Amino acid sequence: MARILLTGATGLIGGAVLHHALDRGDDTQWVCLVRCGSVEQGRQRVASRLERFTDPFTAQRLARKVEIVPGDFTRADLDMDPRLDDCTHVLHLAADTSWFGDERVYRTNHDGTLALARRARSMPGLVRFLHVGTAMICGSNAPNVVEERAYPAADANHIVAYTISKAATETSLAELFPDLPVVIARPSIVVGHSTLGAAPSSSILWVVRAADRLRMLPCAPESAVDIVPADWVAETLVGLLTKSELAHNLYHVSAGTGGRTRWADVIDAFEAAEPTDGMRAFTQFDLQRDRSTLRKRFAEVFGLDGALKQVMLRATRAYYVFCALDLAFSNQRLLDEGFAPPPSLPSYLPVCLANSAGIVEQFADDMEMFSVAATPAPVDPMPLAATA
Ligand SMILES: NC(=O)c1ccc[n+]([C@@H]2O[C@H](COP(=O)([O-])OP(=O)(O)OC[C@H]3O[C@@H](n4cnc5c(N)ncnc54)[C@H](OP(=O)(O)O)[C@@H]3O)[C@@H](O)[C@H]2O)c1
């Protein structure tokens, strides 16, 4: 019987994992390491995340099925709680996902993961430690089709401090923990839920909607982004965690060349869902040269009154950098393992739009990612490249 230690249960993908896994009702034991003052408080935090996927009654029922261990994964090596000892699998999702936190992000994601890996050494029955990284460790100078094995790479031009921390974590896990059964999964860009739309999270969805409302793209409509829904990511991660044999120890969890989303198809999907009688004309602009054009257009569409809108403009610029990269993350390894490919964003965009709040409200839900701890925000590919 599998006993799975899950970090990040209160986050987007963690909630999707628990919703998917607990609903199936097999005899797997889920042990959630949650930041909380007591077991009951931790359970309520998990239940409140699950409520984004189901009704409150079911969320409470599902949350009762998990074991809560109050704790912080960055201090897991000091946590001698015996309930961790007999875990057979670790699914490590927890991370500081804010883009500009710099030192704090590195401490949490890199140093914290190594602390968890040290704790995993005293789990004698451990068969897999699935660490969740990000496909974006490839940086801004990657080829259009990114292969797993090419990264981490010393010459990657990192756009944000978050990806530096994730790349360094992979390197350190490989160097320092060859004795652990580590497998790395790197999701691409997680947007929405294929059947619940925006209910579980509007993270990043607001950017796609803002681009549509601005009618401005920093790239040709033929270029593409690699987007996947949270439910598919959750199901695939559980599969990677529990499949008895894997051919590799590193996988993109991505749409790949076969499933990447072309902007032209996103525009068509918006037009089908919110018709404008063919008036959806997009301008292609240059992120560096046309900064003031974007600012002006943003002010016209959303207004620039107040701190929230200022941060939203900054976040839009930052996301546009990623949108312009025209990347697909090869998912051949995943497909070869027998996993199903993800549904494409245009196919489930109507579901996301049907239960979306306003774009600015959706951004407010995502704003934590853009908090600045110590350093100013790098919004173009160059500033952090020298430190990568
Ligand atoms: N979402 C994406 O588009 C995407 C794409 C690629 C990769 N990923 C990776 O997938 C993973 C999950 O992402 P997500 O979007 O679900 O993140 P998220 O919604 O931001 O959730 C982050 C989770 O990490 C937990 N956490 C952070 N610091 C912690 C600590 N010190 N101790 C215990 N828990 C801590 C948070 O707990 P609290 O609730 O206590 O803060 C929360 O449960 C991350 O590793 C991320 O890098 C995500």
Side-chain angles (χ1 to χ4, degrees), residues 256-303:
T257 47
R260 64 180 153 188
T261 299
R262 288 182 329 134
W263 280 105
D265 296 331
V266 176
I267 295 169
D268 288 349
F270 270 109
E271 185 58 28
E274 298 171 350
T276 59
D277 295 331
M279 299 296 287
R280 220 172 208 96
F282 274 70
T283 311
Q284 190 180 333
F285 76 108
D286 185 297
L287 261 173
Q288 295 301 329
R289 228 183 29 230
D290 304 330
R291 285 175 72 89
S292 58
T293 314
L294 175 62
R295 185 183 174 82
K296 188 162 164 276
R297 178 71 183 141
F298 188 96
E300 281 165 15
V301 173
F302 297 110

Side-chain angles (χ1 to χ4, degrees), residues 19 49-60 62 196:
H19 180 243
R49 174 54 72 172
L50 285 167
E51 265 186 43
R52 295 180 181 224
F53 297 83
T54 185
D55 63 88
F57 179 79
T58 309
Q60 286 292 338
L62 295 182
L196 300 173

Side-chain angles (χ1 to χ4, degrees), residues 56-72:
F57 179 79
T58 309
Q60 286 292 338
R61 184 175 58 77
L62 295 182
R64 299 262 150 230
K65 291 185 176 186
V66 304
E67 223 172 294
I68 304 286
V69 175
D72 180 328

Side-chain angles (χ1 to χ4, degrees), residues 44 102 114 127 151 158 188 191 198 259 309 313 325 329 344 361:
Q44 288 315 316
D102 220 344
L114 302 195
V127 294
Y151 299 93
H158 288 275
S188 52
V191 177
K309 306 262 183 77
L313 169 60
L325 296 177
F329 300 100
S344 74
E361 277 169 85

Side-chain angles (χ1 to χ4, degrees), residues 10-13 35 45 72-73 93-95 97 133 162 166 188 190:
T10 54
L12 164 61
I13 301 176
R35 289 193 282 195
R45 294 200 64 215
D72 180 328
F73 81 89
L93 281 163
T97 51
Y162 158 71
K166 288 291 206 175
S188 52
V190 183

Side-chain angles (χ1 to χ4, degrees), residues 89 127-128 130 181-183 236 238-251 333-339:
H89 300 72
V127 294
R128 190 157 298 154
L130 186 66
V182 175
V183 173
T236 306
V238 173
L240 283 172
L241 182 70
T242 54
K243 192 166 187 271
S244 54
E245 298 285 331
L246 290 173
H248 304 276
N249 59 8
L250 171 58
Y251 293 85
R333 288 183 174 186
L334 204 62
L335 300 181
D336 289 348
E337 291 285 356
F339 290 99

